[in-house]
Amino acid sequence: QVQLVESGGGLVQAGGSLRLSCAASGRTFSSYAMGWFRQAPGKEREFVAAISRTGGNTNYADSVKVRFTISRDNAKNTVYLQMNSLKPEDTAVYYCAAKPIDIVLGYQRADEYSYWGQGTQVTVSS
């Protein structure tokens, strides 16, 4: 139904920027809210950001608010995560995910998202 592929990860120095992309298959991309999650070594997967079907609502974890921006282009079946002022604690594998219910405000549980990408590594050096 929905296949997701992340790209744009890499190695960057503290204070630098990266832009992650998540390309989705199919013609039903606009039927899903989209989110980004991340998982650092030895830690649980955590919510990063989410965006509603048309982009009208967004939600961010407190740890990335102001520094990160989520956006989407439904014509290109793509969701983005612009990451600025990166810190070593941002180092993690970043995953995009699709949610069939268009509710992105409030706490976002990982099990509310039905489809997941394979992840892309982001490493921030100090």
Side-chain angles (χ1 to χ4, degrees):
Q1 179 74 283
V2 179
Q3 187 172 23
L4 306 173
V5 180
E6 303 96 334
S7 62
L11 176 64
V12 65
Q13 292 185 342
S17 298
L18 283 174
R19 186 198 194 206
L20 305 184
S21 298
C22 176
S25 66
R27 294 170 53 85
T28 60
F29 175 71
S30 62
S31 297
Y32 295 88
M34 298 295 297
W36 287 95
F37 293 76
R38 67 187 182 186
Q39 187 166 20
K43 296 185 177 180
E44 295 296 316
R45 180 172 47 189
E46 67 172 342
F47 168 74
V48 177
I51 187 167
S52 59
R53 290 171 178 172
T54 62
N57 286 319
T58 58
N59 187 12
Y60 299 91
D62 288 342
S63 60
V64 307
K65 202 165 294 180
V66 177
R67 298 188 298 121
F68 290 11
T69 302
I70 188 171
S71 62
R72 67 189 297 163
D73 187 339
N74 287 349
K76 295 182 177 180
N77 282 6
T78 304
V79 62
Y80 305 95
L81 185 68
Q82 178 67 48
M83 306 184 295
N84 299 324
S85 302
L86 283 162
K87 306 174 181 179
E89 51 262 46
D90 294 318
T91 295
V93 176
Y94 283 70
Y95 301 89
C96 68
K99 180 180 180 179
I101 301 175
D102 198 30
I103 301 176
V104 300
L105 303 182
Y107 183 72
Q108 298 293 293
R109 299 199 331 261
D111 62 7
E112 296 175 323
Y113 290 77
S114 300
Y115 303 96
W116 294 80
Q118 83 292 340
T120 186
Q121 176 71 48
V122 172
T123 303
V124 184
S125 62
S126 59

